[in-house]
Amino acid sequence: MPASTASGADAKPNGNAKSRDHNQGNQDKNYTVEQKAAVIRVRRCSTTAFYEILGLEKSCTDAEIKKAYRKLSLLTHPDKNGYDGADEAFKLVSHAFQVLSDADKKQKYDRYGGDPDSRFGSSSTSTASPFSGFARSPSGGRGPVFEDEISPEELFNRFFGGGGMGGGPFGGFDTAPQFAFNLGGGPGFRVHQFGGGRPRRRPQEANGTSERPPQSTMSVLSNLLPLLILFVFPLLSSIFSSSSPSGPSIRFNTPEPPYVMQRTTPRLRVDYFLNPAEVEDYSNRNFRDLDRKAENSYVANLQFEVCPETGVFSLTMAESLSDAEKIRNKRLAKLGSQAPPRSAFNGEGNSEGGSSSQPPESSESQALKQLEPSNPEISIASPTASSTVPESPFIQPVIKGKGGDASTINITPSASVAGLSEKRNALDQSRSSSRAGETLEEWEDKVLRSVFRITLDSSVRSDGHGHRLHHVPGVLADLLEQGQAVRLSTATLDQAILEVASELGATTPLDYLLGCWKRITTQLKYAKNHKAVESKLDTLKEARRLCMSYCIFAITMPEMFGRESTDTSPLLPHLLVDPEDERGICHDFLSEAIARLPEDDTIEPALVKAVEDLSRDLAKKTMSDDYKSYVLALRHLVRYPALVKAIASTPSFVSTSASASDLEATTLLGPFFAISPLQADITSQYFSSPKTRDRAFITNSQQSLRMALTTHQQDLLDVVNHIIKSDKTARDRVLDWFALCVNRNHKRRALQVDKKLVSSDGFMINITVCLDQLCEPFMDATFSKIDRIDVDYLRRQPRIDIKDETKLNMDQNASDKFYDQRAEGTNNFISEVFFLTLAAHHYGTEATNQTLGQLEKDIKRMEKNIEEIELDRHKWINNPAQLKMFDSAVQKYKDSIDKGISYKHAVQGVLLDEQMQARSLQFMRYVIVWLLRLVSKTDFPKQPLKLPLKPDPSNFFEALPEYFLEDVVGAYRFVMRNMPWTISSTQSDELITLCITFLRNSEMIKNPYLKSGLVTILFAGTWPGPNRPKGVLGDLLMGLPIATEHLLHSLMKFYIEVENTGAHTQFYDKFNIRFEIFQIIKCIWDNRIYRENLDREAKINVDFFVRFVNLLLNDVTFVLDESLTAFQQIHNLSQELQNSQHPEQTVRQEKEEALSAAKGKAKSYMQLTNETVAMLKLFTEALADAFTMPEIVQRLADMLDYNLDALVGPKSNELKVDNPQEYEFRPKTLLSEILDVYLNLRNKESFILAVARDGRSYKPANFQKATAIFQTRATGIKSPQELQAWTALGENFRKAKEADDQAEEDLGEVPDEYLDPLIYTLMTDPVILPTSKTTIDRSTIRSHLLSDPNDPFNRAPLKIEDVIPNTELKAKIEAFKAEKRGAKSAQANIMDTSEG
């Protein structure tokens, strides 16, 4: 008898159950620690502990159930997780989700416990019999309850056993490996068989005796009873013993904490162990129930073993089995208990006991049945003499537990099957062409009928399993006419297939033929595995060849079968079905079809058309439709290189005529990349009624959205990877397609984007993410492959179009000349993907980021508009028709706002994906290092940079498109603002180096706004956050050598440059940029190294620091004046509106509008005022000499005196406003910082003299009033020492004022030629301007040139180096002053003499 095997079992004659090497299909896959832990945790759970399996509480929400399922399914999926048992864990997770996600099932489970899907679940409230679950499905398989849990053995049995396509391994005839039990010591009879369809006759004995006649029914029952007691009674007791599967956990064999409480079952004497804490309140009745449960569990874990020498079967405890194998054995035991009686397998009906109204068997059928081999039998012998169990068939065999004399039950074969193993070899040898006297022709007829479901007997319409059989009268007539035997053969199969496929009715020929293909392929594999004779293999191969040929005809020539051709490929519906489905396109089919490509030129066009139709059909669908089957179909198809090459060669793969908006529908890959949660109407499904949703709902929806998109993007990457790896031509074509998508979408970065003319955001994001992942293999941490990125790629006919892109530091003409110089060599794949990915970021994620920013502004504007519109509703209140139209228009406007908000949430959900952004930043890190290596000509980061950089004569960097740096800035700026924690420390080092390098060498970049982006990155990186008081970059800025040496100088340099940006908004832009610079400086100012380096450089680079101080002073003067003026306006307008009793409506409205404008102005300027004055305080403390230069000091003194007078002088009351904190206006703090500036410069004589000479705003009384304020109303702000110093400084100012007034009086009338023409003071160092020939004081013209590089008299360009010293006039001025001093001295002497 052939050995009984399971899936993966040893197929050798002496194989046994222990030799099984079950293969999940994931043994070659790796697994992470997290994946392993997930599998172990899930498998430790009870199979019905659904909440525990998903790691949830019973109070969880539907969203939490879905979230937990998605997470666990990804962790435990056997395709992703190679850890042993992942398949079982995945099934448990899936089943738990199936129950908890169904409201009805969840309610039953929460109320009753148990498995709501189980026939025996305690939650079942059906009135049907609990045994109804044993009924077979019409197809011969199991009921729906088992559909989600099927083992490989069961699947094998479905196809070759009690269901599927027939009984034996070759179809509907019973030749499968099988065995039966005979109970009792006598002759016995067959009570159950494993494998096969209906029982086979026992092989003829040597003496020619036939099979014993069947025994009586009572005899059958008497011998069957021991097995009923062993298996069925415990099963029935488990059904009715408890209404809930809940209870304490049980361990067998050995105690294991906390399972230390031992019990022994009364019937089978099985030892088991419990956790005492779980049974502390159990009664005796509970323990009796528990004993029964332990016995049932013990029996359910028994397994059959066969001794290869003796042929003895034994039942042993399956302790060494894995959890997956135990569960599988339990299922097989259930299937065995569901086996119908023998009459259900006798060939008279289908497997569920078909109707007796089947047509009578023909003589042909009877003749075939006589050829069937008989069933060998195995009987269970009586217990051994040493056993204490009575020799009665009604007594259950004893299974002795631990410590007993025996641990197994021996089941020995009856005399009728003694020596079965020895006879098997002789029997196999006696079969020259078939089994038990069956000729090769008979076998061929049997197999072909089973596979192709053909009958030559018109009275037989279905096989033993209920499958429809197709009668072929034409073939039958030909056979009879030619006088041949009424059998099918490969010679007549051609005609039979054509006849059947032409008369199928609603079923298509391809539907029928694909099923035949699956069956014949299975038969051939089985025959090869079991080493069938060559003649049988030849028959199967020929049948398989014919089947494939007719499949191809059904695809390419449906007219052959009387069908009309259609525009859609016949393959399309089959591609969308699972390849393992009977209607699906499996691997064997595609392999065979592709193998025929050289000899059949119709196959390739048919396959290509099927893929094109697949793409065309998907273009009509969105993410809410069944798109997954399309993606899986493409993933399946691209695994065949020959097919990939054919697909990639089609014009639709890279449709060069397609516009940007058509790429998603007209190119072959377009519809697959278009699938996204950003598609039309999908965002509204995720975020319906967005204004009414709380933050938690939005966050959960965004997480769900991200999970769906991530899975789809992984599928897209898999498709692209297979295309790239299949063939160089295909690889080039897919790169061409990526380049086409990028180059067609340049308008996505326009200031005003017309969405109808460009590709969608979701499409471009998918392309960007896919290209990011293609870069991952060469982006290692050591940058070992970075030299493979060849900058000459851009001068070697690149795929990306950069001709019209703005360059970093080249105009269009220079750029054209540079790129017209073609470079030699060929482009490598790394360079191709690197530059394509850069462009994809610019037109993909960065363009979407830009869209998001504009969308937020548009939503705010629209919400403001709708508020204003609704104010006019009262105008239509008396006109119902007009009011209805008004309300309808308003509602449409509100719906548009809701769509915008939903889209905003969806875009945020996509862009805030941490995994996607981490991958993006990894790519940007590579871009940073590549750019720094390019400009420095060093092996960065192994070698540090030396700043400032030397000019690059090759001009490579200057000729690069701006977006090479802009993408880096945009990516990091977005992450800094939204998810800074995703930035690693190594990325931060390189990012800081990039910012400082290009701010220090700012001349290398032409666009000031691009450079301001570098400042923005540093500003965002120093912004305080949770657990990070100095932000993400602050701590690194405090200690990074390149930062401590060059950062302050770089920021001050850009502070100067940003004075003139060239844009019409430059006046306001410079304040925004300088505000960010102030914040960075405040962050690093505590570091003494920065201040020391600043002081040292200020003494060397005097002109640079004078320019910086001058601009800082300009800013302080402007913002202070604007802020204080705005507060005066607020004060005065508020007073007027309060005091005015009956103002005219128009006048009042004008004043209210002016008041609103003043408030807005105060808010915008006051924050900048606070920061600017704070910077002035810091720098006057560190750079006192720079602030007291002749060209600076007087302006500084005038500004300080003016603002001091505004804060404490007679008009200070006009600064009082309601709610000053609303404007961040803190007058006492502002006054304190102005006093600090005075005190920082108190030791500089030039400053004291400049204050004294301020004839407009210097008032000694203001100094006294400031002292009084801090002594009375603002106590604690200034220390006594500071107030004492302030008082002394005021006295110094008074004395200097008196001395200066006396000196001016002594000079008397000064000639006009000695006075400065701009400020009318006596010149000290007159110079002549070269173009206007005007004489002016050097300090005056220096101060002017700090803000204006032109001659103030004729606007000609002017530099301080061009002025000409007027030595002659200087000598006259000195002589004039000496003369006046001499006269004063002589007069003083005369007065002294007269007094004496």
Side-chain angles (χ1 to χ4, degrees), residues 417-433:
V417 291
L420 182 62
S421 299
E422 291 78 2
K423 292 182 179 180
R424 184 191 311 147
N425 295 330
L427 181 63
D428 290 341
Q429 293 174 3
S430 68
R431 297 172 182 169
S432 60
S433 63

Side-chain angles (χ1 to χ4, degrees), residues 526-538:
Y526 187 91
K528 288 180 178 178
N529 291 338
H530 289 74
K531 298 180 175 56
V533 295
E534 194 65 29
S535 56
K536 288 186 177 182
L537 292 178
D538 291 341

Side-chain angles (χ1 to χ4, degrees), residues 1102-1291:
V1102 177
D1103 288 342
F1104 172 82
F1105 278 84
V1106 167
R1107 292 179 63 197
F1108 170 76
V1109 167
N1110 176 71
L1111 293 175
L1112 177 61
L1113 191 57
N1114 288 347
D1115 289 348
V1116 174
T1117 303
F1118 175 78
V1119 296
L1120 266 173
D1121 184 61
E1122 290 293 318
S1123 299
L1124 298 181
T1125 301
F1127 287 121
Q1128 290 174 351
Q1129 292 174 348
I1130 293 172
H1131 175 82
N1132 295 333
L1133 288 169
S1134 297
Q1135 291 291 330
E1136 291 177 11
L1137 289 172
Q1138 290 176 3
N1139 298 332
S1140 178
Q1141 306 215 346
H1142 301 289
E1144 295 183 5
Q1145 182 63 28
T1146 55
V1147 174
R1148 185 175 185 85
Q1149 184 175 352
E1150 290 176 358
K1151 289 185 177 181
E1152 287 177 347
E1153 292 175 355
L1155 177 61
S1156 177
K1159 288 181 177 180
K1161 181 180 178 182
K1163 288 180 181 179
S1164 60
Y1165 278 112
M1166 196 61 225
Q1167 186 179 13
L1168 188 59
T1169 298
N1170 293 333
E1171 299 299 332
T1172 309
V1173 173
M1175 284 299 102
L1176 181 65
K1177 173 186 172 181
L1178 294 179
F1179 278 100
T1180 51
E1181 180 183 11
L1183 303 172
D1185 290 337
F1187 282 91
T1188 54
M1189 297 285 288
E1191 53 268 36
I1192 297 294
V1193 66
Q1194 191 60 58
R1195 292 182 56 239
L1196 174 61
D1198 293 348
M1199 182 273 296
L1200 291 174
D1201 290 342
Y1202 175 81
N1203 289 290
L1204 179 64
D1205 184 56
L1207 290 172
V1208 302
K1211 294 185 178 182
S1212 61
N1213 289 331
E1214 296 181 2
L1215 299 178
K1216 293 181 179 180
V1217 295
D1218 296 332
N1219 300 321
Q1221 62 274 10
E1222 178 184 351
Y1223 314 98
E1224 296 189 28
F1225 180 39
R1226 299 179 291 273
K1228 295 174 183 177
T1229 302
L1230 180 61
L1231 177 61
S1232 174
E1233 292 188 335
I1234 289 178
L1235 263 62
D1236 287 337
V1237 176
Y1238 275 107
L1239 293 174
N1240 288 340
L1241 303 174
R1242 65 181 180 272
N1243 296 323
K1244 301 296 181 180
E1245 291 294 333
S1246 58
F1247 175 68
I1248 294 175
L1249 182 59
V1251 171
R1253 286 181 174 177
D1254 179 13
R1256 185 183 67 167
S1257 302
Y1258 170 67
K1259 299 172 183 177
N1262 289 341
F1263 291 84
Q1264 298 170 4
K1265 190 168 184 180
T1267 302
I1269 290 173
F1270 286 109
Q1271 288 177 340
T1272 58
R1273 286 180 288 170
T1275 57
I1277 295 180
K1278 291 297 181 187
S1279 66
Q1281 294 79 8
E1282 289 176 318
L1283 290 177
Q1284 185 178 358
W1286 172 252
T1287 302
L1289 181 59
E1291 182 63 20

Side-chain angles (χ1 to χ4, degrees), residues 284 299 306 403 485 496 556 656 670 717 866 921 937 1212 1292 1301 1323 1363:
N284 291 334
V299 171
V306 61
T556 60
T656 55
L717 176 66
I866 202 68
L921 293 187
K937 302 295 188 292
S1212 61
N1292 291 338
D1301 289 344
M1323 292 185 287
V1363 300

Side-chain angles (χ1 to χ4, degrees), residues 485-778:
V486 182
R487 295 193 188 100
L488 279 180
S489 66
T490 53
T492 58
L493 182 61
D494 198 339
Q495 179 185 351
I497 292 176
L498 182 59
E499 185 173 347
V500 171
S502 301
E503 302 293 339
L504 288 172
T507 304
T508 66
L510 191 56
D511 276 337
Y512 164 72
L513 290 167
L514 283 175
C516 298
W517 169 263
K518 294 285 179 68
R519 292 188 289 275
I520 190 62
T521 301
T522 301
Q523 297 278 24
L524 182 58
K525 288 180 179 179
Y526 187 91
K528 288 180 178 178
N529 291 338
H530 289 74
K531 298 180 175 56
V533 295
E534 194 65 29
S535 56
K536 288 186 177 182
L537 292 178
D538 291 341
T539 297
L540 294 174
K541 289 177 182 178
E542 176 62 13
R544 188 172 183 266
R545 185 191 68 80
L546 287 172
C547 185
M548 171 55 70
S549 298
Y550 275 96
C551 285
I552 294 173
F553 291 146
I555 297 169
T556 60
M557 298 170 56
E559 300 87 354
M560 175 182 288
F561 308 100
R563 306 281 176 142
E564 294 183 359
S565 297
T566 59
D567 294 334
T568 304
S569 170
L571 273 174
L572 179 59
H574 301 279
L575 290 174
L576 301 178
V577 179
D578 190 299
E580 300 304 319
D581 188 275
E582 190 173 82
R583 297 180 62 247
I585 304 297
C586 64
H587 167 74
D588 295 311
F589 182 90
L590 285 173
S591 298
E592 178 67 19
I594 290 171
R596 294 192 180 196
L597 288 179
E599 61 191 52
D600 190 340
D601 57 3
T602 64
I603 298 177
E604 180 178 306
L607 293 175
V608 170
K609 177 172 174 50
V611 179
E612 289 178 332
D613 288 347
L614 189 76
S615 173
R616 194 175 298 112
D617 203 24
L618 180 60
K620 305 171 186 176
K621 300 184 180 297
T622 65
M623 205 169 205
S624 62
D625 300 317
D626 180 23
Y627 72 93
K628 191 69 176 177
S629 58
Y630 291 82
V631 180
L632 294 178
L634 184 62
R635 285 188 63 186
H636 181 50
L637 293 171
V638 295
R639 279 160 170 73
Y640 303 91
L643 181 56
V644 170
K645 184 176 181 181
I647 294 171
S649 301
T650 61
S652 63
F653 194 89
V654 183
S655 180
T656 55
S657 61
S659 63
S661 57
D662 293 335
L663 290 171
E664 300 173 50
T666 59
T667 61
L668 194 141
L669 292 178
F672 296 91
F673 278 80
I675 295 294
S676 168
L678 302 183
Q679 286 177 295
D681 298 331
I682 303 299
T683 57
S684 297
Q685 295 177 20
Y686 275 101
F687 306 97
S688 58
S689 304
K691 289 185 178 179
T692 64
R693 302 298 186 177
D694 57 16
R695 189 66 229 173
F697 174 88
I698 294 172
T699 301
N700 289 335
S701 297
Q702 289 175 336
Q703 290 175 346
S704 175
L705 173 152
R706 280 194 291 269
M707 185 172 293
L709 180 59
T710 299
T711 302
H712 178 59
Q713 289 171 344
Q714 287 296 326
D715 290 338
L716 294 178
L717 176 66
D718 184 68
V719 169
V720 173
N721 261 329
H722 277 89
I723 295 175
I724 288 175
K725 294 176 182 178
S726 64
D727 177 75
K728 184 180 184 304
T729 302
R731 183 186 71 186
D732 290 339
R733 291 285 285 174
V734 79
L735 292 178
D736 288 339
W737 182 76
F738 279 127
L740 177 69
C741 296
V742 168
N743 294 332
R744 287 285 193 274
N745 279 286
H746 283 203
K747 291 183 179 180
R748 278 177 57 83
R749 295 311 300 264
L751 293 177
Q752 297 294 331
V753 181
D754 187 347
K755 293 294 184 180
K756 297 179 181 178
L757 302 179
V758 297
S759 298
S760 67
D761 292 327
F763 176 77
M764 293 302 296
I765 287 175
N766 285 340
I767 286 178
T768 307
V769 170
C770 185
L771 286 170
D772 270 341
Q773 292 173 307
L774 289 179
C775 292
E776 284 185 331
F778 64 80

